[in-house]
Amino acid sequence: MATKPRFRNDAQDASADTEDQKHPVDETLPPLRMFTSGLQHVAAMYAGVVAPPLIVGAAVGLSGSELTFLTGASLFTAGLATFLQTLGIWKIGARLPFVNGVTFAGVAPMLAIVDTTDDKADALPIIFGAIIVAGVLGFIAAPYFSKLVRFFPPVVTGTVITLIGVSLLPVAFGWAQGPNPAAKDYGSTTYLTLAAITLVVVLVLRRFTRGFLKQIAVLVGLVIGTLIAIPFGVTDFSPVTEASVVGFPSPFHFGAPQFALAAIISMCVVMLVSMTESTADMLALGEIVERPADEKTIAAGLRADTLGSAISPLFNGFMCSAFAQNIGLVAMTKIRSRFVVACGGGVLVLMGLSPVAASLISVVPRPVLGGAGVVLFGSVAASGIQTLVKAGLEKDNNVLIVAVSLAVGIIPITVPEFYHAFPETAKIILDSGISTGCVAAVLLNLVFNHLGRRGDEDTVTAPMEPGEEISETRGAKAAHVH
């Protein structure tokens, strides 16, 4: 039976074309799916957000209630920074599915500031003042720093992405062994069994389920792992019963910011390290969501990081940076919508405003997080390997770049005391395998593939031009770059 041809007017054609061209990063999902997927991001990064304030707060000598306040403030400011990064305003925000939170790179310098402060009551105000200055200076430097993107071809980005995953895996292994490294039961068979069960649950869900359930496999795995942990006496519900329902992180709760030159210099160094790692993270995520991060995107993302850091101390929070562990979640679930992560930012804000809500996530035992972390962080490393596949590893130069850069980046992971004789300021950079491996990859790529290169040589990996996408077709263009 013949069918009538279907005609559309110009307006309908334009509307359809616009819809067809909508990138998955800019798509919105149904409310329930949006919320649960966002909650999954929060669960993946919760431990990383609360650890720095707990460590620094304990060093300052805060009471239990003050520690809870400082933790809630970090959750609140992480949510605000995530809004800046995902939703964006003006030229601020990468508008990628990025979660922002307290950077661990600042823990050691902040502890050093605490140790050198005579009156511990002044320690937090001095730290907050230094972060404000570092954030403002970083915001100003963001567009200039972003120009480094041209030195991140696939051989560099693949190496860095792999290092991000490899650097995070020890965190998962540490979680799997228990909450307290000093405890006698640290690394016990009970903890490791719970981690293994959680890992198996996630894998089974990913293998034998479809659709929505498959996409929230990590969240379901965390819930099941927590329930299984109850009979073992590992799950602690006391944070829920002791937490208040409502609490706002009042501005400058610990006193007005103070500005000490040594502290400011220290936090500025941390900001440079954080910006380097954020650049690598944005390049990694851009590859995963198939929207390569160009110079403009990285500049906007760095502005969000640095502005979030400058605002954070107002509400008693610390320096903010993109969280690499959530890249693994995006890679695994294939949910690329930035609005999902923005929803997770909303959850973080609500947790910061409601200590009892924040305590619900803290109920998840550390070994259960460790089991899920193996999948999440391993997925990041796998994404890096996928990028390296198209980086021209048939060329000896590129093999050497990857080999040496990975070796340099793995040093702080395998031999943590390797740089013990170096000054504390230098160790801020050297103790970050992501930063050292990234710098090594960029420098080696310049030395092997560009300096003194003859025009008749074989095609090699070339620096990207700002805005250029990473693709397999870049090889032809690379031959013409000098």
Side-chain angles (χ1 to χ4, degrees):
M1 185 172 107
T3 58
K4 293 181 180 180
R6 185 170 180 264
F7 299 97
R8 295 184 300 184
N9 59 34
D10 292 340
Q12 289 174 320
D13 285 335
S15 176
D17 290 342
T18 301
E19 190 69 51
D20 291 341
Q21 293 173 4
K22 195 170 188 179
H23 196 281
V25 169
D26 298 318
E27 289 180 347
T28 55
L29 305 181
L32 178 60
R33 189 178 173 194
M34 184 91 73
F35 174 75
T36 52
S37 299
L39 187 61
Q40 193 168 227
H41 275 282
V42 174
M45 54 88 77
Y46 177 84
V49 173
V50 301
L54 288 176
I55 295 171
V56 176
V60 174
L62 298 182
S63 63
S65 60
E66 294 286 21
L67 274 176
T68 301
F69 178 90
L70 192 64
T71 302
S74 293
L75 291 168
F76 179 76
T77 53
L80 296 181
T82 299
F83 282 150
L84 277 176
Q85 196 66 269
T86 54
L87 302 179
I89 54 172
W90 184 57
K91 296 181 179 180
I92 301 170
R95 292 169 175 82
L96 290 172
F98 251 138
V99 175
N100 272 46
V102 182
T103 175
F104 232 100
V107 172
M110 288 191 290
L111 291 177
I113 293 172
V114 173
D115 291 339
T116 56
T117 304
D118 295 330
D119 187 351
K120 300 305 178 188
D122 292 331
L124 285 176
I126 290 174
I127 290 172
F128 291 150
I131 293 173
I132 291 173
V133 174
V136 172
L137 293 178
F139 185 86
I140 296 171
Y144 306 101
F145 196 91
S146 66
K147 294 184 184 300
L148 295 176
V149 68
R150 69 184 65 213
F151 300 111
F152 286 82
V155 69
V156 174
T157 56
T159 302
V160 174
I161 296 169
T162 303
L163 274 174
I164 291 173
V166 172
S167 297
L168 288 171
L169 280 171
V171 176
F173 301 150
W175 289 346
Q177 295 180 81
N180 184 7
K184 292 183 179 180
D185 61 350
Y186 186 71
S188 66
T189 54
T190 299
Y191 287 148
L192 297 181
T193 300
L194 287 173
I197 291 173
T198 304
L199 174 59
V200 170
V201 169
V202 174
L203 293 176
V204 168
L205 289 172
R206 291 289 301 177
R207 174 63 182 84
F208 296 105
T209 61
R210 295 182 179 180
F212 180 57
L213 183 58
K214 182 176 182 178
Q215 291 176 330
I216 62 168
V218 172
L219 182 61
V220 175
L222 291 174
V223 172
I224 293 176
T226 301
L227 293 175
I228 293 175
I230 293 176
F232 292 92
V234 177
T235 308
D236 182 13
F237 290 95
S238 60
V240 179
T241 58
E242 297 172 1
S244 56
V245 177
V246 179
F248 182 78
S250 52
F252 300 131
H253 177 81
F254 297 99
Q258 300 179 27
F259 303 97
L261 181 59
I264 290 172
I265 294 174
S266 179
M267 296 314 294
C268 282
V269 172
V270 174
M271 178 60 74
L272 288 174
V273 174
S274 176
M275 291 171 75
T276 301
E277 293 189 353
S278 287
T279 299
D281 291 343
M282 278 183 268
L283 290 167
L285 187 60
E287 281 282 278
I288 290 169
V289 302
E290 298 179 349
R291 179 184 274 182
D294 56 15
E295 183 179 319
K296 180 180 177 182
T297 300
I298 290 176
L302 292 177
R303 287 191 188 100
D305 274 3
T306 52
L307 180 60
S309 296
I311 294 175
S312 186
L314 173 65
F315 299 102
N316 314 284
F318 298 118
M319 187 177 293
C320 294
S321 178
F323 263 47
Q325 48 262 56
N326 292 81
I327 298 175
L329 192 57
V330 174
M332 192 187 73
T333 63
K334 308 299 182 186
I335 298 177
R336 296 180 279 180
S337 171
R338 60 191 173 99
F339 298 106
V340 164
V341 176
C343 185
V347 173
L348 289 170
V349 170
L350 290 177
M351 291 170 69
L353 297 175
S354 177
V356 69
S359 65
L360 289 174
I361 296 292
S362 66
V363 168
V364 180
R366 201 62 64 84
V368 173
L369 283 173
V374 171
V375 178
L376 295 177
F377 305 156
S379 296
V380 179
S383 297
I385 294 171
Q386 288 176 334
T387 303
L388 286 174
V389 167
K390 56 184 179 182
L393 292 187
E394 70 278 0
K395 299 178 175 61
D396 290 341
N397 284 356
N398 289 343
V399 171
L400 287 172
I401 293 168
V402 174
V404 175
S405 299
L406 285 177
V408 171
I410 291 173
I411 287 175
I413 304 171
T414 55
V415 191
E417 299 301 319
F418 189 83
Y419 299 111
H420 73 277
F422 283 74
E424 289 298 321
T425 303
K427 287 198 291 184
I428 295 174
I429 300 174
L430 296 174
D431 284 343
S432 170
I434 299 173
S435 296
T436 54
C438 178
V439 171
V442 170
L443 292 178
L444 288 172
N445 181 61
L446 289 174
V447 171
F448 278 94
N449 288 333
H450 299 283
L451 296 181
R453 186 163 62 88
R454 299 187 304 273
D456 58 349
E457 289 182 358
D458 292 337
T459 300
V460 295
T461 307
M464 294 186 295
E465 292 301 323
E468 180 187 353
E469 294 188 359
I470 300 174
S471 66
E472 296 177 1
T473 60
R474 288 185 64 245
K477 181 178 178 179
H480 303 289
V481 178
H482 296 279

